[in-house]
Amino acid sequence: MDLFDNLHLPVTDPTWIFFLVLLIILFAPMILGRLRIPHIIGMILAGIVVGEYGFNILERDSSFELFGKVGLYYIMFLAGLEMDMDDSKKNRFKALVFGFFTFLIPMGLGVWSNMEFLGYNFTTSVLLASMYASHTLIAYPIISRYGLTRLRSVSITIRGTAITVTLALLVLAGITGIYKDEVDHWFWIELGVKVTLVCTVLIFFLPLICRWFFRTYEDNIMQFIFVLAAVFLGGGLFDLAGLEGILGAFLVGLILNRLIPYVSPLMNRLEFVGNALFIPYFLIGVGMIIDVRTLFTGGEALKVAVVMTVVATLSKWVTAWITQKSFRMQPEERSVMFGLSNAQAAATLAAVLISNRIEVSPGVPLLNDDVLNGTVVMILFTCIISSLATERAARKIVLMDNTEEVENRPQEEENILIPMSNPDTIEYLINTALIMKDPRRKDGLIGLNVINDNNTTELKQIQGKRYLEQAAKIAASADVTLHTVTRFDLNIASGIIHTYREYNASEVVIGLHRKTNIVDSFYGSKTESLLKGLHRQIMIVRFLMPVNTMRRIIVAVPLKAEFEVGFTKWVERLCRMGSQIGCRVHFCATRQTMGRISSYINKHYKALRTDYTLMDSWDDLINLSRQVDFEHLLVIVTARRGTISYHADFEDLPTLIGKYFSNNSLMVLYPDQYGDPDETITFSDPRGQSESLQYESVGRWFYKWFKKKE
């Protein structure tokens, strides 16, 4: 009995097809990583080996068509999603110049070389040259893996990609339309109207729908599915308009850029699924269409392949070199632009397949089989060159950044302590800490649950463990490790303070206390004890909506805040929040304080969108109630009693907040300040308050002094 009678080559059973693809995705990086070959090349080479022109193990069936298209959309979507929008706006002129250079230079060299060396007519030469001009961001996953997606050279290249692909597709549409007798003056008008209508619908309506959805549904799976649906909606609408869907996926990425923070659980899921499955599937599918045998058979196909590969690569390098010299950029930035823009795949393949099916006369295609085979070989070599160049440039940039980081490393290590006792606030406390932490670190968060010794029950311990597990899951979904701590103490505040010191934390993020009765204070006794017992940065937060949907951060800064020791720390944290959320940060401060804030931002966060309003008196805080909207986050920087920036009006802050800002998301920030309370909480009096202890110590000193006199 033959147990394997159902297995034959090429494999057609869906189970075995998927199993073999997963084996390739698993082992190709492991094997080629030892040879220092980029993973992307491994996927393409594996596709060549198992495809029709290799050992014919797998057939390029509908699954590769489907997942390949998904992977291609995913590359363009992630490119738009991870782009630094503020930096991109700052460099939009550079991107525009690069986009036209990377289209015109390959077009010029391509038309000349096609007519000179290949002997094609002008129309065919223009069509072929447009394929040199377009490129695919095959190497983008390399940039993403090294965490360099927000470099200005990457933003310039991505925007330039959208420009050159659009122009190349317009050339393709025009030339193919001529041979189909479809092009007249109405053709271009109709195309322009359809594209304008689609862009208008996506740009104006999709953000509103996304904000509503993210605020209404917080389920992680629903949000992930919603984002995928938006990507394919954009791709489908652009297909209907007459352009490639990859442009729609890219536009959706730009639209969702400000709604999905770079360090967030949703972003991590999107990157994980794309890099683990969809993008590798696409790369393997690209490899399966490559026929390496054309390199050894000689003839016209080899000649076409050599000319196309040399001209495409040379023109892209010249474009990157001219852009670098024009804007005085670094050589490494030129390498990144060249590496990302050199790969020819999606638009090129679509163009040659469409042109190969169009007949200029009976039996004579617009682009013959030699051009088709030459194009496929060009795709292979440009993808290899692109991957190697990008990998090399990315490594060099990372090493340079690490050297600078070591030289300029701050003395204080960032460890954010997050006490939690309310299950309703855990998610937004963790998300707040995630967007404030150093994005380069994969740790630095400490989750704490303090259990009062006087109220210790098994139920309390189980609840505390459950809270910490929930917090750890949220952090892990953003690829960040949360260190969990359970502490038993006679006092909640003392437990937080002792943990703070034991783990060398840099700041504390806690939720705003909810008043339970009329005599209860605004902050609550635990928070007040914490403020008295710890003179380090404490952020008390209350969010009425997901933090990623905030449209503006408004910061009220008191007089002389710049003289506090923790001034730069809280400015740094708020700048990170603004950068991660992609929203505008509006500072209200005195002229002198405003100068210090703007100086710091111009030095470290030039691309951050900021506004400044003069606020000479703390009484002006009431006027902010007219500016603070429901979609805004109000940050009030205050101070502890007896410090430099403290003002008597701070005592009325709870009343002002309750009266004017009760329906707003809020953060009350107490910065690091000089000094630290001495023996705030002792073993003899674990419930002690700092002020009472000071009064008692002074009283004892006078008592001893008078006893000696007697």
Side-chain angles (χ1 to χ4, degrees), residues 470-491:
Q470 181 184 348
K473 277 184 181 179
I474 297 170
S477 62
D479 199 22
V480 174
T481 302
L482 175 79
H483 183 73
T484 58
V485 179
T486 299
R487 188 181 189 94
F488 295 88
D489 210 298
L490 288 175
N491 182 278

Side-chain angles (χ1 to χ4, degrees), residues 79-96 149-160 162-163 250 254 257-258 606-609:
L81 186 64
E82 296 178 344
M83 185 187 295
D84 189 337
M85 295 299 292
D86 297 325
D87 185 69
S88 179
K89 284 186 176 180
K90 178 184 172 185
N91 295 297
R92 57 181 176 268
F93 177 71
K94 296 183 180 70
L96 188 65
T149 56
R150 303 207 162 198
L151 288 177
R152 68 170 179 175
S153 54
V154 175
S155 298
I156 290 171
T157 310
I158 292 172
R159 281 206 167 196
I163 294 170
F250 175 69
L254 293 179
N257 184 285
R258 298 196 184 282
K606 291 182 180 179
L608 182 68
R609 297 182 299 157

Side-chain angles (χ1 to χ4, degrees), residues 236-397:
L237 289 177
F238 264 73
D239 274 334
L240 291 176
L243 291 178
E244 278 293 316
I246 56 176
L247 297 175
F250 175 69
L251 180 60
V252 171
L254 293 179
I255 292 171
L256 297 181
N257 184 285
R258 298 196 184 282
L259 295 173
I260 303 177
Y262 184 65
V263 180
S264 66
L266 182 56
M267 176 69 84
N268 188 62
R269 292 186 183 96
L270 289 169
E271 289 183 332
F272 174 79
V273 173
N275 292 324
L277 186 61
F278 294 145
I279 295 175
Y281 230 112
F282 163 69
L283 296 172
I284 294 170
V286 170
M288 293 174 73
I289 65 174
I290 296 174
D291 186 1
V292 184
R293 292 174 296 183
T294 58
L295 294 175
F296 307 102
T297 56
E300 188 68 18
L302 178 60
K303 180 181 178 181
V304 171
V306 171
V307 171
M308 293 181 70
T309 303
V310 171
V311 174
T313 302
L314 178 63
S315 60
K316 293 297 182 180
W317 187 91
V318 170
T319 299
W321 181 81
I322 292 176
T323 305
Q324 179 227 341
K325 294 300 181 183
S326 299
F327 299 111
R328 298 180 181 179
M329 301 170 72
Q330 298 297 321
E332 291 76 19
E333 293 179 293
R334 178 191 65 213
S335 299
V336 168
M337 290 188 291
F338 167 67
L340 285 175
S341 64
N342 185 56
Q344 313 286 323
T348 303
L349 187 60
V352 73
L353 291 175
I354 292 171
S355 303
N356 186 251
R357 298 191 193 106
I358 297 174
E359 295 184 350
V360 295
S361 60
V364 180
L366 180 58
L367 294 180
N368 58 33
D369 291 342
D370 290 332
V371 176
L372 176 62
N373 292 329
T375 302
V376 171
V377 173
M378 179 191 70
I379 289 173
L380 170 62
F381 282 101
T382 55
C383 287
I384 292 175
I385 295 170
S386 172
S387 302
L388 292 174
T390 306
E391 181 92 18
R392 181 182 178 189
R395 283 177 177 272
K396 189 176 293 187
I397 292 173

Side-chain angles (χ1 to χ4, degrees), residues 550-554 583-586 611 631-633:
M550 296 293 174
R551 304 189 70 171
R552 183 182 290 255
I553 299 174
I554 299 177
C583 66
R584 188 177 296 275
V585 184
H586 188 161
D611 286 327
E631 297 179 324
H632 298 165
L633 169 65

